[in-house]
């Protein structure tokens, strides 16, 4: 599988929204559209798509301000999970953010999602704190993680 990570475009919105709809606490098409419009107008939003041969495989939604990136969502097509897409997507996104001046990146991950936590740790994220009862559907704590570039 040859995965290409790039900035999201308008043509990515519908297929990426369909992928995102498979996630807990998913962003909807209107929210993704608003974030992409922010990015295209020079705002803080940064959206990335992973694709292969023109097919969307996953998406990542960040904010970048004052040298600090925040990951808000990363979702991979359910049929392609555990095949390296998430790792490639996050790694490529972080590289692009670093090139834009990011010095650190923060995220929250469900405490009951050990697979995601292992991925983040493998890419250099460290636990920075805990937000109790952060998630509602289903209820869970959020582990705050930080990556320094």
């Amino acid at each position: 599988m040859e995965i290409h990570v790039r900035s999201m475009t308008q043509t990515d919105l519908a297929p990426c929204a369909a992928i995102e709809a498979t996630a807990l606490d998913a962003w909807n098409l209107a929210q993704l559209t608003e974030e992409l419009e922010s990015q295209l107008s020079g705002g803080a939003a940064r959206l990335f798509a992973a694709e292969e041969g023109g097919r969307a495989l996953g998406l990542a939604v960040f904010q970048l301000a004052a040298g600090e990136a925040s990951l808000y969502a990363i979702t991979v097509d359910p049929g392609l999970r555990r095949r390296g897409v998430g790792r490639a997507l996050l790694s490529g996104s972080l590289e692009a953010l670093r090139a834009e001046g990011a010095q650190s990146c923060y995220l929250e991950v469900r405490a009951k999602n050990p697979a995601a936590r292992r991925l983040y740790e493998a890419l250099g994220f460290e636990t920075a704190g805990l937000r109790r009862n952060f998630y509602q559907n289903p209820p869970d704590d959020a582990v705050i993680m930080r990556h320094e570039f």
Side-chain angles (χ1 to χ4, degrees):
M1 182 176 283
E2 188 172 327
I3 302 164
H4 178 66
V5 177
R6 57 175 171 69
S7 290
M8 190 181 289
T9 66
Q10 296 270 343
T11 58
D12 295 315
L13 282 170
C16 285
I19 292 169
E20 178 63 12
T22 68
L24 296 173
D25 303 314
W27 291 51
N28 62 39
L29 178 60
Q31 291 168 312
L32 291 173
T33 300
E34 183 178 340
E35 290 299 299
L36 183 59
E37 288 172 358
S38 170
Q39 176 177 320
L40 295 174
S41 67
R46 298 293 183 276
L47 285 76
F48 298 93
E51 59 98 8
E52 179 183 46
R55 176 180 172 221
L57 309 175
L59 68 145
V61 179
F62 292 84
Q63 291 279 317
L64 175 61
E68 184 178 293
S70 296
L71 175 61
Y72 291 131
I74 183 167
T75 308
V76 172
D77 181 311
L80 300 172
R81 292 181 183 158
R82 303 211 191 313
R83 296 181 55 194
V85 176
R87 179 181 295 269
L89 177 56
L90 185 55
S91 180
S93 298
L94 291 172
E95 184 177 311
L97 291 163
R98 184 175 49 81
E100 278 196 70
Q103 299 167 357
S104 61
C105 182
Y106 287 85
L107 61 84
E108 286 123 357
V109 60
R110 289 177 176 274
K112 296 176 184 170
N113 188 346
R117 291 173 61 189
R118 282 192 300 272
L119 171 63
Y120 299 140
E121 289 168 356
L123 292 175
F125 282 84
E126 297 177 346
T127 299
L130 183 71
R131 294 181 204 253
R132 296 226 178 262
N133 303 310
F134 183 77
Y135 296 104
Q136 302 305 311
N137 184 27
D140 198 357
D141 297 336
V143 176
I144 302 166
M145 300 187 83
R146 178 185 63 237
H147 175 75
E148 298 293 330
F149 293 99

